[in-house]
Amino acid sequence: MAGLAESGSNPDVDLLYDINGLAKDAPGWFDRVMEFVGEYGLLLAIVLLVVWCWWTVRRRGDEDAASSVAALVWAPLAAGIAVLVNVPIRGFVERPRPFLDHQGLEVLVSGKTDYSFVSDHATIVMAMAVGLFVAHRKFGLVALVLAVFGGFIRVYMGVHYPTDVVGGFALGTAVALLLSPVAMALLTPVTRAVERSPRVGWLVRARGRGAGDGEGAVIPGARRESASERDLAA
């Protein structure tokens, strides 16, 4: 399987050189920024998006707050499971890093000695992005854009082939979507139990928030006054 990367005439290698070639033409400070973003920045940004989405969901206090929070909990769990699934895949494929088989690459991060396929970074960010998309479409779309950009940067840095990134996207998406029904069935009862707790219920729904809070809310047990009754009272 490692032979997939040995020929410099295949589209995967050609695209690698095209994208990584941008790093050669960029100033040094820009490459340092891309290195940080590719290694840590985008992953941190998606984590912050998950936290922001959680804060938004709990403050809004909708009836489905518990299930939304359960989906948000699933996002990092999906990323962790996807990485574990990737361990035997990497061991089976045994694809060397591109800079070990090809000369002239601008490698922004040194010391990478593990196998290249599938990209752990691409797997993690896509699993979290898809998990976030399941919980909240708008936040999820932003996370998906960041995940795709992160995959581009991994190739730009010279540490992955484009197909390493595509494989990571596919793996992260598959784990997040295929296991989502089971995960939601297990996590939602837990978040509902947390929601009912007087001590930690704020983790799911902000204090003082409840289903139907705000304008037009009806107090349980109360009866709405009809228009005819208001006219008679007048």
Side-chain angles (χ1 to χ4, degrees):
M1 300 292 286
L4 289 172
E6 291 177 356
S7 172
S9 61
N10 67 64
D12 195 23
V13 176
D14 292 341
L15 188 56
L16 164 68
Y17 275 105
D18 288 341
I19 296 176
N20 181 253
L22 299 174
K24 292 184 177 181
D25 299 330
W29 65 265
F30 184 79
D31 283 347
R32 301 288 76 80
V33 171
M34 294 291 275
E35 174 188 344
F36 175 79
V37 171
E39 283 287 288
Y40 312 105
L42 284 175
L43 178 58
L44 177 60
I46 293 179
V47 169
L48 291 177
L49 274 177
V50 172
V51 174
W52 186 6
C53 185
W54 163 75
W55 184 261
T56 301
V57 167
R58 65 174 291 275
R59 281 180 58 86
R60 191 171 54 199
D62 292 342
E63 291 183 359
D64 61 347
S67 59
S68 296
V69 172
L72 291 173
V73 173
W74 168 237
L77 290 178
I81 293 173
V83 170
L84 291 177
V85 173
N86 190 29
V87 172
I89 295 176
R90 280 195 167 199
F92 174 73
V93 177
E94 295 185 346
R95 187 184 205 183
R97 295 281 181 169
F99 53 81
L100 297 178
D101 286 334
H102 303 283
Q103 302 297 320
L105 292 174
E106 185 77 9
V107 183
L108 302 188
V109 180
S110 60
K112 299 284 186 181
T113 58
D114 54 343
Y115 294 122
S116 185
F117 186 91
V118 173
S119 168
D120 277 338
H121 276 77
T123 301
I124 292 172
V125 295
M126 185 55 72
M128 291 192 66
V130 172
L132 182 55
F133 184 79
V134 171
H136 195 288
R137 296 292 185 269
K138 291 183 179 179
F139 282 96
L141 285 175
V142 175
L144 288 171
V145 172
L146 291 178
V148 172
F149 181 55
F152 172 84
I153 294 179
R154 300 303 291 177
V155 181
Y156 178 94
M157 293 165 61
V159 295
H160 281 295
Y161 294 95
T163 49
D164 297 337
V165 171
V166 173
F169 288 166
L171 177 59
T173 300
V175 170
L177 289 182
L178 294 179
L179 298 183
S180 178
V182 176
M184 292 300 294
L186 295 174
L187 292 173
T188 302
V190 175
T191 54
R192 291 195 188 281
V194 171
E195 182 182 20
R196 292 191 295 267
S197 171
R199 292 187 177 181
V200 294
W202 60 271
L203 289 170
V204 177
R205 192 183 299 226
R207 295 186 183 278
R209 296 277 181 174
D213 281 356
E215 185 178 354
V218 181
I219 301 174
R223 182 172 62 89
R224 285 185 180 272
E225 185 180 22
S226 66
S228 59
E229 288 174 334
R230 287 197 300 269
D231 291 338
L232 290 174

